[in-house]
Amino acid sequence: MKKILFGAIIMAITACGGASIPENFTQNDSLPAIYPDYTDVTIPVNIAPLSFQLEQQDADDAVVRYSCGDTEIVCGGLKAQPDIDDWHQLAEQAKGGDITVEVYAGNNGQWTRYQPFTIHVSPDSIDPYISYRLISPSYVTYEELTLNQRCLENYDEQVMVDNMLCATEKDGQCVNCHNYQMYNPQRMQFHARQNHGGTVIAYDGKIRKVNMKNDSVISAGVYPTWHPTLPLIVYSTNLTSQSFHTRHLNKIEVSDAASDLIIYDVENDKVATVENDPQEFECFPFWAPDGRMLYYCSAHFEYRDTINHAAEVFIRASDVKYNLYRKTFDPDSKTFGAPEMVFRADTLGAGILGLDTLRTDTLGLSATLPRISPDGRYLLFTLGRFGVFHIWHHEADLWMKDLETGEVRSMDEINSKDTESYHSWSSNGRWVIFSTRRNDGNFTRPFIAHIDKDGHGTKPFELPQKDPNYHHEFMKSYNIPEFMRGPVTITPQQFADVLKNDDVKPAQFVPHL
């Protein structure tokens, strides 16, 4: 039995595994080997239980106590899996303070108590849902993918979009780039390529398929960003190709032979150009929270030969380096200003940046994926050696620019020795979620970190799972983690029915909205 005490009241509840704290044990002053590593992490008060497993090689049993003051949870077995209701009571008790975790490892009836560690419970809550794409790292089975949503307050996960519902024996497709207007699950969009290609937009209960491809743009809309308040979406349009390496550490290189920016009017089905300089590769747009500034990344690239452009980009891949820009936007006239440099990465030497992992004989690096904090102060982006698609770049790290002071720094408190790539801010600006390959170098997993008012992060923690061994056995990667204020209620079959409608007129191209 375990005891949860509130003042002088004692509540008797069955402990997980019927466990009790060993009376006799030896003390080990080192931290226990656990997975996931939840030692000294900071968590939101409303997060799901942080289950973990003991990975001490000589342990055949374990008892774990989570406690704060007189409130405690005791779990037995090599996997500590607290009850959800008990966990939320404990987290509420510890809000603004710490949960102490004690691990007792058993071996043939002999017990060892390891150095206790703490889990810091922030009073800052987190958005209740995230969504992401699940995809195998093997491109042989890439069509077997889904867009899923997960409740962060428990372990509930649902499929939002099932790619296989639209696949046939001969024709397949790929769904990607889900995005929301201000975290609103009732206003979302995603893109489909190949079979039944197009963009699906759900807007306040109405679902439709949009065709943005016409002779005036190089492709349909690809990477999106919703305007915070207006029914407008800016996209990059991309001629994308992929290269596969047999010996290089970065197994796959995704690059563009051309890319521009367009803006789409959701209500009037009109599209206009934002940027289309043929010597600039504009990509990954993102609105500032006030809707008056559009951020994006762009690489200056001049073709030297008359060979296939995609082939030249592949041959000169290390020359393609992106900088960060922004353009003002007038909501009344729906017009944009001239490009303004925000962060110049291509002319900075690696020695100046002081990163051993980024040292190279060639000057310049590449910045991508600009994301602005909800208060408009911080610009979070990914920095790598070259290119725009850093999800397979093992040297890629997260960087932050303070837009008030101009300070730019590596987020060393968040980064690992492996890939950090796609990242999103929570709606209150106190949390970021990002994809990383820090566990094994192959699979991206979502990690979450707290960001304080001064832009400093805490040790990230891995997305909690009911079975702590889940990510050791799960053979898919998480791509594009996005926060949501609630769940998407449209079913996968409803989305599939809309996607299968190929009788869609192209959006009207206009000089300006």
Side-chain angles (χ1 to χ4, degrees), residues 46-81:
N46 59 326
I47 198 71
L50 266 59
S51 299
F52 64 84
Q53 61 189 26
L54 183 64
E55 297 197 329
Q56 298 289 151
Q57 293 185 351
D58 57 350
D60 56 29
D61 198 2
V63 174
V64 175
R65 173 160 55 192
Y66 305 80
S67 64
C68 176
D70 293 330
T71 306
E72 66 178 31
I73 301 173
V74 179
C75 296
L78 294 176
K79 295 180 179 181
Q81 298 169 286

Side-chain angles (χ1 to χ4, degrees), residues 181-197:
Q181 185 180 43
M182 290 299 289
Y183 310 92
N184 184 353
Q186 302 303 314
R187 295 182 177 182
M188 73 165 293
Q189 73 93 65
F190 66 91
H191 185 62
R193 292 179 293 186
Q194 300 171 276
N195 187 37
H196 303 305

Side-chain angles (χ1 to χ4, degrees), residues 72-141:
E72 66 178 31
I73 301 173
V74 179
C75 296
L78 294 176
K79 295 180 179 181
Q81 298 169 286
D83 173 80
I84 289 178
D85 292 337
D86 292 348
W87 172 265
H88 284 307
Q89 288 182 10
L90 180 64
E92 185 64 30
Q93 174 79 12
K95 183 167 63 174
D98 296 333
I99 294 173
T100 300
V101 184
E102 302 166 77
V103 176
Y104 299 80
N107 183 3
N108 293 322
Q110 302 298 312
W111 291 93
T112 299
R113 179 182 184 267
Y114 285 89
Q115 180 70 28
F117 62 89
T118 55
I119 296 172
H120 313 292
V121 183
S122 170
D124 297 321
S125 62
I126 199 167
D127 297 289
Y129 276 81
I130 57 171
S131 57
Y132 39 79
R133 182 172 70 158
L134 294 178
I135 184 171
S136 300
S138 167
Y139 277 65
V140 177
T141 59

Side-chain angles (χ1 to χ4, degrees), residues 56 217 339 347 415 508:
Q56 298 289 151
V217 297
T347 57
N415 293 324
Q508 180 185 2

